[in-house]
């Protein structure tokens, strides 16, 4: 099945790489794509505090992809927990908002992957010397957004690396978002927190001597642009546009602007599978 998808997608990419005719009639008629995005995850998407305008990696990449396809973007500010239902019911055309390409989401969605990511432990700068290795977090209270895959991933990591070694389990605290986790960390209600590795370089720059990253990411996932299963035409048009941005160097330029060159992919991936 995966091989068939890859072959099909490769054919579609070849057909759409020359022009934007791969766009669905609905999008061509509207002259825009409606994109679900919640701007609360810097540097992926956020509002510039000085101008209140949308900015970030996903915003820049989303606009560049639309331009490549000869269309425009209408950003729809939708809560993360409502994004998938908004897509499957047709309220939006796609999701581009720091969403991980997870196997359980592929039952209803297809993903065009565009960057590498991972769950990352961090603590307060004042307590950095307490946590030299990841297993130092065993038995500690750690917060992370309940809307993400991080609570399940952290619990699984704890079972393998803490409980299995006879150490106390991590106490996983689901928060209202990454900002809430950081606030609780500052208040001393948490020992540490978890969020996407791609967000932490920006955070450390924004709030110097406030947080400290510990170790390497303990998961490895792709972030992807999500499409409804039925919208293969739009999915493949976006994959073609991303391929063009990679070839021109604009893809790398966008990520370099935010210091995220290390998250770049080496080619086109659909649902985690390389298209060759």
């Amino acid at each position: 099945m995966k091989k068939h998808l890859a072959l099909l997608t490769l054919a579609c990419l070849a057909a759409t790489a020359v022009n934007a005719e791969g766009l669905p009639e609905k999008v061509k008629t509207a002259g825009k794509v409606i994109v679900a995005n919640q701007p609360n995850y810097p540097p992926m998407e956020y509002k510039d505090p000085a101008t209140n305008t949308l900015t970030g990696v996903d915003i820049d990449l989303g606009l560049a992809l639309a331009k490549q396809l000869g269309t425009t973007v209408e950003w729809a500010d939708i809560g993360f927990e409502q994004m998938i239902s908004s897509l499957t019911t047709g309220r939006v055309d796609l999701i581009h908002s720091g969403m991980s390409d997870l196997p359980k989401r592929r039952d209803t969605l297809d993903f065009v992957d565009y960057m590498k990511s991972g769950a990352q432990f961090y603590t307060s700068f004042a307590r950095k010397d307490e946590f030299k290795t990841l297993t130092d977090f065993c038995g500690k209270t750690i917060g992370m957004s309940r809307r993400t895959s991080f609570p399940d991933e952290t619990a699984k990591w704890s079972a393998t690396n803490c409980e299995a070694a006879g150490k106390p389990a991590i106490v996983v605290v689901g928060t209202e978002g990454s900002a809430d986790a950081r606030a609780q960390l500052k208040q001393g209600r948490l020992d540490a927190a978890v969020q996407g590795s791609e967000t932490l370089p920006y955070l450390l720059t924004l709030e110097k001597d406030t947080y400290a990253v510990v170790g390497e990411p303990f998961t490895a996932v792709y972030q992807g642009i999500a499409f409804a299963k039925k919208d293969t035409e739009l999915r493949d048009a976006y994959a073609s546009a991303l391929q063009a941005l990679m070839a021109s160097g604009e893809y790398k330029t966008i990520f370099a602007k935010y210091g995220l060159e290390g998250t770049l992919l080496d080619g086109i991936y659909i649902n985690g599978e390389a298209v060759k």
Side-chain angles (χ1 to χ4, degrees), residues 33-174:
V33 284
I34 302 175
V35 181
N37 180 277
Q38 189 172 40
N40 64 352
Y41 197 54
M44 301 311 296
E45 44 264 319
Y46 60 104
K47 289 188 177 180
D48 186 307
T51 63
N52 204 39
T53 56
L54 281 174
T55 189
V57 177
D58 285 342
I59 306 304
D60 290 359
L61 183 60
L63 294 173
L65 288 166
K67 183 178 179 181
Q68 180 69 33
L69 290 168
T71 190
T72 60
V73 177
E74 179 182 315
W75 299 104
D77 188 344
I78 295 173
F80 200 82
E81 63 276 7
Q82 272 86 50
M83 285 185 181
I84 293 177
S85 62
S86 295
L87 178 59
T88 56
T89 57
R91 181 181 169 191
V92 300
D93 297 310
L94 57 99
I95 300 169
H96 193 165
S97 191
M99 180 172 280
S100 296
D101 174 1
L102 302 176
K104 65 181 180 181
R105 288 175 175 158
R106 296 175 195 155
D107 290 339
T108 53
L109 306 176
D110 276 342
F111 288 90
V112 173
D113 301 322
Y114 61 94
M115 67 177 289
K116 294 177 287 188
S117 180
Q120 176 77 62
F121 287 114
Y122 67 102
T123 187
S124 62
F125 188 81
R127 298 184 65 185
K128 65 182 187 302
D129 292 336
E130 295 179 39
F131 304 103
K132 297 299 185 183
T133 67
L134 297 190
T135 52
D136 290 337
F137 290 115
C138 295
K140 301 301 183 181
T141 301
I142 302 181
M144 62 215 70
S145 173
R146 64 168 57 95
R147 301 183 181 95
T148 68
S149 58
F150 297 150
D152 286 344
E153 291 167 344
T154 303
K156 288 177 182 176
W157 186 90
S158 175
T160 300
N161 296 278
C162 297
E163 292 104 296
K167 298 180 180 182
I170 287 173
V171 179
V172 175
V173 176

